[in-house]
Amino acid sequence: MPVVAMFAMGLVGCKHRGKHAWTHEQRKEMREALRDYRKMVYLNNLTEAEYLLFIDEVANELETDYPVYTTFIAMPGAGDTVDLYVVETIVDELNTDARNMRHIFPYRFLVAEGMLPSGLDMHQQHQFYSCLAGSVNNTYLTMENFVAAILADTTSTASLQQLIAGCANSLFGWTITEIDIIETD
């Protein structure tokens, strides 16, 4: 086959690939599917505007890596791939700014659980989240390990509670007491 013919086929192939870019409806469908992730720990505390930016970022990454929507959706494990992209985006956002800890451990939740005193001002909350971010960085080798710990088991949850308690105690003298109730027959 002549080189010119091969080159022309390559151009047609490249041009053909461009025709498979996601349509407006396909992008909309993916963004709607991503709304189901709102209940995840990190994501359920984002404002609506922050969440829309988040799902746009995930959808754009998917479209970039899988330009043919119909092939992507038909792919075995497409749901697992979306899960992976969501978790990777969360990890990237946490790596960007330690203040994002407030989305994982919202202040009102920590107060309701008795892990922080109520009435902390913004400066004190910032001190707490900076302390917590430092503790997390010192405890977990990578942000991926930290996210896995959040999503994993009760042992990791207990470790995270110790980090929260340590920061609350060192900054505000707040002591978390745990009461175990043991039933006897």
Side-chain angles (χ1 to χ4, degrees):
M1 179 179 279
V3 174
V4 174
M6 288 174 41
F7 179 74
M9 286 178 63
L11 284 178
V12 169
C14 290
K15 206 169 201 171
H16 182 68
R17 185 173 187 227
K19 289 181 181 179
H20 288 291
W22 292 15
T23 65
H24 174 73
E25 285 303 312
Q26 291 168 334
R27 286 185 193 100
K28 183 178 175 184
E29 183 179 317
M30 178 55 69
R31 282 172 175 76
E32 287 301 315
L34 288 168
R35 286 196 158 284
D36 292 340
Y37 288 87
R38 182 69 183 212
K39 58 189 168 273
M40 289 180 75
V41 172
Y42 174 80
L43 302 175
N44 69 359
N45 290 300
L46 295 178
T47 65
E48 188 61 21
E50 290 170 328
Y51 189 70
L52 290 174
L53 290 172
F54 176 85
I55 62 175
D56 279 349
E57 185 175 341
V58 173
N60 289 336
E61 288 294 320
L62 284 166
E63 184 177 359
T64 299
D65 292 347
Y66 299 95
V68 182
Y69 180 80
T70 53
T71 303
F72 171 69
I73 293 301
M75 180 178 83
D80 292 338
T81 301
V82 173
D83 290 348
L84 177 68
Y85 275 68
V86 167
V87 170
E88 284 180 349
T89 304
I90 291 171
V91 169
D92 289 345
E93 287 197 9
L94 288 173
N95 280 331
T96 303
D97 190 346
R99 288 176 291 164
N100 286 322
M101 290 289 185
R102 69 186 172 85
H103 296 299
I104 299 172
F105 306 105
Y107 174 65
R108 15 178 233 285
F109 171 78
L110 295 175
V111 169
E113 292 294 311
M115 300 183 86
L116 278 180
S118 63
L120 296 182
D121 62 30
M122 293 306 290
H123 176 72
Q124 291 170 316
Q125 289 180 39
H126 178 74
Q127 286 178 307
F128 168 76
Y129 287 116
S130 294
C131 175
L132 183 58
S135 296
V136 164
N137 290 339
N138 291 332
T139 303
Y140 297 96
L141 298 176
T142 66
M143 196 53 71
E144 288 85 357
N145 291 343
F146 171 62
V147 171
I150 291 172
L151 301 174
D153 59 79
T154 55
T155 304
S156 296
T157 302
S159 298
L160 290 168
Q161 288 173 344
Q162 289 176 345
L163 297 178
I164 292 168
C167 288
N169 187 295
S170 69
L171 291 170
F172 314 115
W174 186 257
T175 304
I176 299 171
T177 57
E178 192 172 317
I179 301 170
D180 292 327
I181 300 173
I182 302 171
E183 293 183 26
T184 57
D185 292 333

